Amino acid sequence: LYGGKLIASGKAKSGGILYIGNNSASSYIATFNMYGGALENGNVSGNGGNVCISNNCQMYLYGGTISGGHAGDCGGNIVIESGKLGLYGGVITGGQAANFGGGVYCRVKDALSVSGNVQITGNATSNLYLPADRMIIVEKLLGEKNIGISMEDPTKPFALVSQETLADCFFSDDDSFTVNTKDGVLYLDDGSTPVMTHIHCICGGHAAGIGDHLCDKAVTWEPWDGTTALEDGHSYYLNDTDGDGVITLASPLTIEKK
């Protein structure tokens, strides 16, 4: 879509203007690219007032405006049921959802990437809503406070980043939180909840957004001095105690599960 307007005139179950999907038996992946124009005033009883992305299909927004969508459940303007959404420009605003994500609701892991000068603001209920254990892939963002964030579990990070200044591109929909950064992650900070440190990921087939590194989930790592017993259910890293950038393990070294 390069121009013009698509305006809804009735009420649908999901995807009031666009339902980007395919037959579940098909291997074809539908893709919708939007460079300009507008999608407006979609109205659904379920999810995705203007747009519903499903069946592992894709949408990429480079420009234009998606606005005024209303969902009886989640995703006033856009819902990602499955598949991918890339936001590289454009404006998502004026959406409403009865439950979560007046702007965008991201139901699945590693489905949403943001970059450029995209704006997700002015949506009711919340702008961009992330259920528990969902994170977004952050690339090079421009502007300040262009994306409002809400989370089901604000004690967890919402993005891995390579630059601390990327925190300035986001704001919390809840005024009791601010967006902060530490140890390469973005998180919502209420000033009292302990911050997760030494965040890294367990590799396993999902893009994390930093180079070609792959992650499944973020975990908290603990320093290990090489002398104490390793406990089940914990993740450890070797600590460079003298700060010389070198960690030496005495030989022979045996690590075994007891």
Side-chain angles (χ1 to χ4, degrees), residues 60-86:
Y60 297 98
L61 178 65
Y62 299 94
T65 301
I66 301 175
S67 65
H70 184 276
D73 191 358
C74 300
N77 275 316
I78 302 175
V79 68
I80 314 169
E81 297 279 8
S82 70
K84 294 189 179 298
L85 172 63

Side-chain angles (χ1 to χ4, degrees), residues 146-170:
N146 277 354
I147 301 175
I149 291 286
S150 293
M151 301 177 66
E152 180 181 2
D153 184 1
T155 67
K156 302 289 182 65
F158 67 84
L160 303 176
V161 295
S162 58
Q163 301 176 38
E164 292 186 357
T165 55
L166 289 174
D168 297 334
C169 301
F170 297 87

Side-chain angles (χ1 to χ4, degrees), residues 3-252:
K5 291 183 179 181
L6 298 178
I7 302 175
S9 60
K11 190 170 185 178
K13 182 178 180 180
S14 60
I17 293 180
L18 290 176
Y19 184 91
I20 307 170
N22 57 22
N23 186 309
S24 59
S26 173
S27 60
Y28 176 76
I29 297 177
T31 300
F32 178 78
N33 296 315
M34 183 171 173
Y35 297 93
L39 308 179
E40 296 180 357
N41 303 333
N43 190 5
V44 300
S45 58
N47 301 314
N50 279 322
V51 179
C52 178
I53 304 168
S54 187
N55 300 116
N56 294 314
C57 293
Q58 304 170 353
M59 176 177 177
Y60 297 98
L61 178 65
Y62 299 94
T65 301
I66 301 175
S67 65
H70 184 276
D73 191 358
C74 300
N77 275 316
I78 302 175
V79 68
I80 314 169
E81 297 279 8
S82 70
K84 294 189 179 298
L85 172 63
L87 301 176
Y88 305 119
V91 176
I92 300 171
T93 190
Q96 301 180 53
N99 290 316
F100 306 107
V104 178
Y105 183 88
C106 182
R107 188 179 298 279
V108 290
K109 288 185 177 181
D110 305 317
L112 175 61
S113 58
V114 295
S115 183
N117 198 31
V118 61
Q119 298 178 42
I120 310 174
T121 61
N123 299 280
T125 315
S126 51
N127 285 293
L128 168 57
Y129 185 87
L130 298 173
D133 297 322
R134 302 297 186 264
M135 298 177 71
I136 60 178
I137 300 168
V138 178
E139 299 173 15
K140 185 177 181 180
L141 279 170
L142 304 174
E144 292 187 3
K145 300 186 183 303
N146 277 354
I147 301 175
I149 291 286
S150 293
M151 301 177 66
E152 180 181 2
D153 184 1
T155 67
K156 302 289 182 65
F158 67 84
L160 303 176
V161 295
S162 58
Q163 301 176 38
E164 292 186 357
T165 55
L166 289 174
D168 297 334
C169 301
F170 297 87
F171 65 93
S172 172
D173 291 324
D174 183 342
D175 291 339
S176 62
F177 292 88
T178 59
V179 176
N180 212 335
T181 181
K182 185 175 183 180
D183 296 329
V185 302
L186 297 181
Y187 63 95
L188 296 181
D189 186 3
D190 63 1
S192 60
T193 304
V195 178
M196 296 174 65
T197 59
H198 302 297
I199 301 298
H200 199 53
C201 55
I202 294 188
C203 294
H206 299 283
I210 296 181
D212 295 324
H213 199 65
L214 302 177
C215 80
D216 182 56
K217 61 181 181 179
V219 298
T220 300
W221 295 77
E222 304 171 35
W224 182 57
D225 61 8
T227 62
T228 57
L230 301 176
E231 299 181 20
D232 287 344
H234 292 250
S235 300
Y236 296 93
Y237 66 91
L238 293 172
N239 198 7
D240 177 18
T241 55
D242 57 11
D244 64 356
V246 177
I247 297 175
T248 302
L249 300 178
S251 180

